[in-house]
Amino acid sequence: MNCMEVNVHEAKTHLSRLLQRVAAGEEVIIARAGTPVARLVAVETKNKVRPLGMDRGRMWVADDFDAPLPDDLLKAFYGGEIPKPKRRRRK
C-alpha cells in the first residue's frame, strides 16, 4: 500500500484528488508543520448479506397487539375525552 504525506493547505486545495487516490488504495497522511495529525484512508464496506430468518425465535408479537385500547387509556391519550370517529363519505 502506497502512502503519501501532504500539508493541511494542500489537502484542502486538492481534497477531490486525494479522495480518488484513497479510493484507489493509497493512504494519505495530513501534516501540520511537518507533524502528522490525520490519516485519510478508504472506508471498508460491509457487503455481508444477512441471511433470512437469522432472528427467528427471538421476537414475538402478542395475539392481541392490534386490539382496541381500553377506554381509560384512550382518555389519557386524548386528554379526557375520546373523540367520536368521523364518518367517511362514499365516493
Side-chain angles (χ1 to χ4, degrees), residues 53-61:
M54 66 184 268
D55 287 334
R56 184 173 289 138
R58 291 184 177 185
M59 300 169 36
W60 64 273
V61 176

Side-chain angles (χ1 to χ4, degrees), residues 11-82:
K12 287 171 34 177
T13 304
H14 301 289
L15 182 60
S16 294
R17 290 185 201 160
L18 294 175
L19 289 175
Q20 287 175 344
R21 293 179 82 150
V22 166
E26 283 190 57
E27 182 177 298
V28 177
I29 303 294
I30 301 172
R32 180 180 292 131
T35 304
V37 293
R39 181 173 52 213
L40 193 58
V41 294
V43 175
E44 294 180 19
T45 58
K46 295 180 181 179
N47 292 333
K48 187 176 179 182
V49 177
R50 294 183 292 172
L52 291 175
M54 66 184 268
D55 287 334
R56 184 173 289 138
R58 291 184 177 185
M59 300 169 36
W60 64 273
V61 176
D63 293 333
D64 63 347
F65 81 100
D66 59 350
L69 295 174
D71 285 346
D72 59 331
L73 187 56
L74 282 175
K75 287 178 184 176
F77 275 108
Y78 288 110
E81 283 292 319
I82 301 174

Side-chain angles (χ1 to χ4, degrees), residues 1-12:
M1 172 169 55
N2 294 342
C3 183
M4 68 181 294
E5 187 172 311
V6 297
N7 63 33
V8 174
H9 175 72
E10 188 177 355
K12 287 171 34 177

